[in-house]
Amino acid sequence: MARYWPGRSLLELYRGEMSWRELRVFLRYLPQDSATSRAVRGASPEEETWTLERQLLASAVDAIREGTYALVRLQGDPKKTKRLRPPEPIERPGVEKRRRTGGVIRFGGRHGSGAAELAKVFGGPAITH
């Protein structure tokens, strides 16, 4: 309470210097980063540090890095940029790290989505290697 309402204390409620309505209004409009708001939401310590501003900043940094990567790949010497890999996004709480597939789409497996099945759908010959 002292952080957001300097000079005020819960003792004032018991002394009769603050009304229950005044306390309710104060609690209702606490900022999202206050300890009380975090406790009510049940936020983990990791989530507490990732405010909206930090999320937006991480998104901006990721966009700049991806733009720089694209520019270097498109404008750079193909011999030198061949091994260049796209940047990894900044890790965020609750977001799983994406897996790299190497750009190869694999057909088959136990779900019956093989080349023969696709050939039936599209009416062409099945090419298998």
Side-chain angles (χ1 to χ4, degrees):
M1 184 173 239
R3 178 177 176 193
Y4 298 106
W5 218 357
R8 301 298 304 258
S9 164
L10 281 178
L11 288 175
E12 294 177 20
L13 180 68
Y14 296 106
R15 291 183 197 145
E17 299 168 2
M18 178 191 308
S19 68
W20 284 100
R21 181 185 177 285
E22 206 173 1
L23 179 63
R24 185 185 59 194
V25 169
F26 168 72
L27 293 174
R28 183 176 189 170
Y29 295 104
L30 277 173
Q32 291 288 326
D33 65 338
S34 71
T36 304
S37 290
R38 291 190 312 255
V40 168
R41 286 192 320 267
S44 69
E46 186 178 80
E47 292 170 338
E48 290 176 10
T49 59
W50 279 90
T51 61
L52 176 62
E53 292 81 14
R54 289 188 84 178
Q55 290 276 4
L56 292 172
L57 184 60
S59 296
V61 169
D62 286 342
I64 291 169
R65 290 171 61 199
E66 288 171 4
T68 303
Y69 165 77
L71 182 69
V72 169
R73 271 305 286 251
L74 292 172
Q75 300 296 323
D77 182 12
K79 292 177 185 175
K80 294 180 181 177
T81 61
K82 184 168 65 171
R83 296 180 129 193
L84 191 62
R85 294 181 180 240
E88 290 290 327
I90 294 173
E91 292 185 29
R92 294 165 176 80
V95 178
E96 292 183 22
K97 193 174 184 178
R98 63 180 170 182
R99 292 185 252 154
R100 293 194 182 270
T101 59
V104 177
I105 300 173
R106 303 200 184 278
F107 295 105
R110 57 180 185 220
H111 301 295
S113 60
E117 295 294 320
L118 290 173
K120 287 180 193 174
V121 171
F122 293 109
I127 300 173
T128 57
H129 297 316

